[in-house]
Amino acid sequence: MATVIGSGFGGLAAAIRLAVRGWRVQVLEKLDAPGGRAYTWHQDGFTFDAGPTIITAPFMLDELWELAGRKFSDDVDLRLMSPFYRIRFDDGTWFDYSGDAEAMRREVARFAPDEVGAYERFLEEAAKCYQLGFIELGSVAYNTLGDLAWGIPNMVRMRGWRSIHEMVCGYFRNEKLRVVFSFHPLLIGGNPLSVTCIYSLINTLERRYGVHSAMGGTGAIVRAMVRLLESVGGQIRYNAEVSRIDVEPDAQAKARGKGRATGVTLASGERIASDIVVCNGDTMWTYKNLIEPRWRKRWTDRRIEDSRHSMSLFVWYFGTNKRYEDVPHHMMVLGPRYDELLRDIFKRHKLADDFSLYLHRPTATDPALAPPGCDAFYVLSPVPHLASGTDWAQHAEPYRQAVQEALERTVLPQLGQHIVTSRMTTPQDFHDRLLSYKGAAFGQEPLLLQSAWFRAHNRSEDVDGLYMVGAGTHPGAGVPGVLMSAKTLEQVIPHVSTFA
């Protein structure tokens, strides 16, 4: 019996892989519906994806379906975005970022004609990072120092100690192009000024496989994963919050000073026995709140507190009674600052008066996500996690109003006159509802020394029989990362016959 905590992308993918390998699998979900951070809100006839909005590695979903003898495209309709994103600068200029090689050269030339050659050289290095980092190292389970030693040569070849911003600045002098080609780590909770340049691989991943959105929203993929899990014998329970991972001394584990996970206890008091436990919850929250301190030699309270955690998010979901046809599906609406705003968010943990926004208009592709003649939106602002001390009960509405005013000035004129439904998510919601440590939206910040072997392992270092998937473990956040974390489990979980 395998118990999976959480029904996000990582938990569902892990459950499907385990079920296909012969495990009896039960997924326990705290919320009333699947998805975790990829939950779906339905309100006043509008459908809002709560979290992820893009798919950049569809082949990983194809692979998951193939394991179950099915075809992903039979269950989900993915649409290629063009452009992938529009990046609008504070002065009103914009860069349309796409997978069209010639169109990208023209966009670069519009901003800096003499830097097209530098762009080509940047692509070459990003492709190198994709091969060395994603293909060769991404699915390695870093459980031993030997695994770390094996990966070091690739890290050296990529000069992974550089930040992605430092790498990009080595190619581009134009400040706007520096932003265009360094912002991607923000999509997975990383600060471009400090996250390793290895994440330039995202550029190659997008160019090779495209940026896609699902008809019906990302929630359509989650629902299809639930159906796939059930088709291979897995079960899922909702409103089933886990309050403790049960750990007991084990003869073999005891010799190494460890305990073994024997199941879980729910908030209701019900205990569920299990041979193994796979956790898709926030990794730092899990270690701190679900496992007794006496079983934690590596992930102590002090180590968790001293880790550097990703930023959080303020997300405003709203629907309008008119359509904004000139707004693309994905748009970055940037504020006046870049470097210093990032320092406010990640270093100073200060909620700044200015902001940069990601505006998502899914009805540009799928009008069925809103009533006829209407648009569904979500706008996301990266903000500090709860170490900022912000009282979001007091600040949420003024912050939302400031975001609305910025959108009215830039890309959504007269917005306030057309809003017909609205809801918000704050860092406090990430903490209280999604059980994320410090309200961090992506787990630990993906720094070089918080990646690979240095990140929480897929097989727990502290508790035998406990395994981790999702954003907080290796390889990291983002849909491709959490899907890969589930694939990595196949290297570390014993065959089901071991427990027969």
Side-chain angles (χ1 to χ4, degrees), residues 50-212:
T53 60
I54 61 174
I55 299 298
T56 54
F59 62 89
M60 299 192 72
L61 291 164
D62 290 336
E63 179 183 289
L64 200 60
W65 258 251
E66 289 167 5
L67 291 174
R70 302 271 293 277
K71 195 172 181 182
F72 175 67
S73 59
D74 289 340
D75 292 336
V76 178
D77 181 4
L78 281 187
R79 301 292 176 91
L80 180 66
M81 299 291 95
S82 183
F84 295 164
Y85 326 94
R86 173 167 292 170
I87 303 165
R88 183 192 186 278
F89 298 96
D90 192 54
D91 63 2
T93 60
W94 70 77
F95 186 108
D96 277 346
Y97 188 106
S98 73
D100 183 320
E102 189 53 43
M104 284 292 286
R105 293 187 191 96
R106 289 196 299 270
E107 287 294 278
V108 170
R110 283 202 305 115
F111 287 86
D114 60 337
E115 295 192 16
V116 175
Y119 167 66
E120 299 286 358
R121 293 190 296 275
F122 166 76
L123 293 185
E124 291 175 5
E125 184 167 6
K128 177 181 175 182
C129 288
Y130 172 81
Q131 177 62 36
L132 296 175
F134 187 83
I135 298 297
E136 297 184 16
L137 299 182
S139 60
V140 173
Y142 288 91
N143 286 295
T144 69
L145 286 171
D147 294 331
L148 173 62
W150 184 85
I152 285 176
N154 278 16
M155 298 286 189
V156 172
R157 293 186 189 103
M158 292 182 283
R159 293 188 290 162
W161 54 85
R162 297 172 298 159
S163 73
I164 189 169
H165 189 257
E166 181 182 356
M167 170 187 168
V168 167
C169 288
Y171 289 100
F172 301 102
R173 295 186 303 277
N174 183 277
E175 289 296 331
K176 291 179 178 178
L177 294 182
R178 288 177 170 183
V179 172
V180 166
F181 295 106
S182 70
F183 83 90
H184 280 89
L186 286 164
L187 302 177
I188 56 169
N191 178 0
L193 303 182
S194 55
V195 72
T196 171
C197 66
I198 296 170
Y199 284 99
S200 63
L201 65 85
I202 298 174
N203 178 281
T204 301
L205 190 68
E206 290 181 340
R207 286 190 301 107
R208 292 192 181 182
Y209 300 102
V211 169
H212 301 80

Side-chain angles (χ1 to χ4, degrees), residues 298-316:
R298 178 178 174 88
W299 292 107
T300 62
D301 288 356
R302 178 64 180 272
R303 185 186 184 97
I304 292 169
E305 177 65 28
D306 288 347
S307 296
R308 287 173 58 179
H309 305 281
S310 78
M311 85 280 198
S312 192
L313 305 172
F314 174 88
V315 191
W316 175 33

Side-chain angles (χ1 to χ4, degrees), residues 448-479:
L448 183 62
L449 294 181
Q450 291 189 164
S451 300
W453 186 84
F454 301 101
R455 204 168 182 82
H457 294 185
N458 303 107
R459 180 172 62 201
S460 173
E461 306 98 305
D462 287 330
V463 179
D464 284 355
L466 174 62
Y467 303 87
M468 301 291 181
V469 295
T473 187
H474 172 71
V479 174

